[in-house]
Amino acid sequence: MVSKSPPPDIVIGRLPIYLRALEALSAEAQEITSSYELGERLGISSAQIRKDLSHFGDFGKQGTGYEISFLIEQLRQILKLKERWVVVVVGAGHVGQALVNYRGFNEHGFDIVGIFDKDPVKVGKPINGLVIRDDQELPAVLNEYRVRIAMIATPAVAAQEITDVLVNCGVKAILSYAPTMLSVPADVRVQYIDPVASLQHMTYYLNRD
Amino acid sequence: MVSKSPPPDIVIGRLPIYLRALEALSAEAQEITSSYELGERLGISSAQIRKDLSHFGDFGKQGTGYEISFLIEQLRQILKLKERWVVVVVGAGHVGQALVNYRGFNEHGFDIVGIFDKDPVKVGKPINGLVIRDDQELPAVLNEYRVRIAMIATPAVAAQEITDVLVNCGVKAILSYAPTMLSVPADVRVQYIDPVASLQHMTYYLNRD
DNA sequence: TAGATTGTTAATCGATTAACAATC
DNA sequence: TAGATTGTTAATCGATTAACAATC
């Protein structure tokens, strides 16, 4: 266990992947695994897995490997997943609605407590137990639930304005589906999901037949 | 212009981001930009932008900068975006349906020619001009259109099986929304979109209040 | 010309891998 | 004990940044 500089962000980003693989192994009723086996599954070297984990503690046993249930709990603790988090969705187009309907968030501890849109035609429509609310109600809901996490599914032009509202009301983590870069203070994290950019990344390698 | 080893994949991944920013500038009727201005917009150093572009050619002019429309065309050529690409979607749950409804793909040269599901209840349902077809028709459609790009929006358990079918029928690029790692031959590219993992990455940095 | 900005080199920084003593 | 696998160190590899001559 090293304890100097903070763990690199790129390492933090891999922990959810490790967690997911461990949960899959656990679901197969396996109890012990090794950095080698995990690496095989994920296409990552065993050395990297051991090094990544070593930033946070000594979780394995020489000659044996890692107890899966124990390592799962450790990773959940490191990633602050032992509590549930409330989340809002801004933008109630097809993407926003798909997010509200997706069961994976709830299954992994994220509770969507509101979905918002500025279009009066959409406001009032029920989706999976929620009702689309007007953007103007956003601050009230953010404050009421002490929301720290938001997902943005608006058009690109609206995203920065919404971001400013979110940041003003204490949101510290934003997952954005809007195809534009957001400006936020240093203490706010942003992750982007951009399927078009992902496709464009891959077309580079395609050969025209 | 350097011309040795192939450009790093991480550089390729930034090109779509540069392209998007340039298109935004172009939409604002701006004609010239600099690596500094672009970097400001994207939160990337100007040196990195110049270095990235230098892998592919000399696109700028000393003292002036880059002609936006010219650089856009160069990037579109590098990324093979001068032609349109056909794409299929496998899995017609909320995510798959949102993908078919999303206008961004068509606007950026990707034509979704089919959406598939194995659930007989869903098969036959129309979505945005397409009709959900049975998974079993997948090979015929892949061959008919010579599809090279697929998006997977199935549950995790079905994703590998679908991947094998796709790869067998000549698909070379897969964008997967299924929360599992896929095994593919070396000549097939895979990109993953995992909103839960993205949220879990950010919760690490959140403080419980 | 004077000012601005490129493309490139070299230096720096950071991440990954290989190797192995420690030890279960 | 013999075999296996960890955690860690050092070496390697790769990416980013700083700096500047070239030049528009």
Side-chain angles (χ1 to χ4, degrees):
Chain A
M1 160 96 186
V2 193
S3 60
K4 289 178 290 185
S5 48
D9 183 64
I10 197 166
V11 172
I12 309 299
R14 281 193 292 262
L15 299 186
I17 308 302
Y18 299 162
L19 178 57
R20 200 174 67 188
L22 290 162
E23 286 170 341
L25 286 167
S26 183
E28 295 165 23
Q30 193 170 325
E31 293 182 356
I32 303 279
T33 189
S34 66
S35 59
Y36 178 79
E37 181 182 47
L38 216 42
E40 280 288 297
R41 288 228 174 188
L42 295 173
I44 291 179
S45 78
S46 61
Q48 177 159 89
I49 290 173
R50 293 197 301 280
K51 183 131 229 286
D52 284 354
L53 295 177
S54 78
H55 285 97
F56 305 96
D58 293 359
F59 302 131
K61 233 183 226 166
Q62 281 108 323
T64 307
Y66 300 91
E67 200 199 324
I68 291 170
S69 63
F70 175 74
L71 188 50
I72 286 174
E73 285 314 300
Q74 294 300 311
L75 288 175
R76 281 170 40 79
Q77 178 155 59
I78 292 162
L79 291 168
K80 310 234 176 78
L81 302 174
K82 295 229 161 192
E83 65 197 295
R84 298 190 68 84
W85 293 95
V86 290
V87 183
V88 297
V89 173
V90 188
H94 292 291
V95 173
Q97 297 195 28
L99 291 172
V100 172
N101 279 303
Y102 181 49
R103 303 164 114 230
F105 293 121
N106 186 71
E107 287 168 3
H108 290 89
F110 297 97
D111 294 314
I112 299 177
V113 296
I115 175 166
F116 301 83
D117 203 289
K118 71 171 183 183
D119 179 359
V121 176
K122 287 191 185 126
V123 172
K125 182 183 167 185
I127 306 173
N128 198 22
L130 289 176
V131 172
I132 300 174
R133 304 171 76 160
D134 193 280
D135 274 4
Q136 303 199 328
E137 298 184 51
L138 195 43
V141 174
L142 294 174
N143 289 322
E144 181 190 345
Y145 288 96
R146 299 231 174 107
V147 178
R148 295 289 169 267
I149 307 174
M151 298 192 275
I152 294 181
T154 65
V157 287
Q160 185 60 57
E161 195 182 346
I162 289 295
T163 296
D164 296 341
V165 173
L166 294 170
V167 168
N168 253 310
C169 295
V171 166
K172 299 294 181 194
I174 296 172
L175 178 59
S176 178
Y177 285 78
T180 184
M181 289 293 159
L182 302 174
S183 296
V184 295
D187 68 333
V188 177
R189 302 269 152 184
V190 184
Q191 296 263 318
Y192 299 94
I193 286 182
D194 185 341
V196 168
S198 297
L199 291 182
Q200 291 175 334
H201 182 162
M202 293 190 288
T203 52
Y204 174 84
Y205 297 100
L206 293 178
N207 302 312
R208 310 178 184 80
D209 311 290
Chain B
M1 157 100 189
V2 192
S3 61
K4 289 180 288 188
S5 47
D9 183 65
I10 197 165
V11 172
I12 310 299
R14 282 193 291 264
L15 299 186
I17 308 303
Y18 298 162
L19 178 56
R20 201 175 65 189
L22 289 163
E23 286 169 342
L25 285 168
S26 183
E28 296 165 22
Q30 193 170 323
E31 292 182 356
I32 303 278
T33 189
S34 65
S35 58
Y36 178 80
E37 181 182 46
L38 216 42
E40 280 288 297
R41 288 228 174 187
L42 296 173
I44 291 178
S45 77
S46 63
Q48 177 159 89
I49 290 173
R50 292 198 302 279
K51 183 134 229 288
D52 284 354
L53 295 177
S54 78
H55 286 97
F56 305 97
D58 293 0
F59 303 130
K61 233 183 226 164
Q62 281 107 323
T64 308
Y66 300 90
E67 199 198 325
I68 291 171
S69 63
F70 175 75
L71 188 50
I72 286 175
E73 285 314 299
Q74 293 300 310
L75 289 175
R76 281 169 41 77
Q77 179 156 57
I78 292 163
L79 291 169
K80 310 233 177 79
L81 302 175
K82 295 229 162 192
E83 65 197 294
R84 299 190 68 84
W85 293 95
V86 290
V87 183
V88 297
V89 174
V90 189
H94 292 290
V95 172
Q97 296 195 26
L99 290 173
V100 172
N101 279 304
Y102 181 49
R103 302 165 115 231
F105 293 120
N106 185 71
E107 287 168 2
H108 290 88
F110 298 98
D111 294 313
I112 299 177
V113 297
I115 175 166
F116 300 84
D117 203 289
K118 71 171 185 183
D119 179 359
V121 175
K122 288 191 185 127
V123 172
K125 181 183 167 185
I127 307 174
N128 197 22
L130 290 175
V131 172
I132 300 175
R133 304 171 76 162
D134 192 281
D135 274 4
Q136 302 200 327
E137 297 183 52
L138 195 43
V141 174
L142 294 174
N143 289 324
E144 183 190 344
Y145 288 94
R146 297 231 173 104
V147 178
R148 294 291 170 264
I149 307 174
M151 299 192 274
I152 294 180
T154 66
V157 288
Q160 186 61 56
E161 194 182 345
I162 290 294
T163 297
D164 297 342
V165 173
L166 294 170
V167 168
N168 252 311
C169 295
V171 166
K172 299 293 182 194
I174 296 172
L175 178 58
S176 177
Y177 286 78
T180 184
M181 289 292 161
L182 302 173
S183 296
V184 296
D187 67 333
V188 177
R189 303 268 151 185
V190 183
Q191 296 263 320
Y192 299 94
I193 286 181
D194 186 342
V196 167
S198 296
L199 291 183
Q200 291 175 334
H201 182 163
M202 293 190 289
T203 52
Y204 174 83
Y205 297 100
L206 293 179
N207 302 312
R208 308 177 186 80
D209 310 289

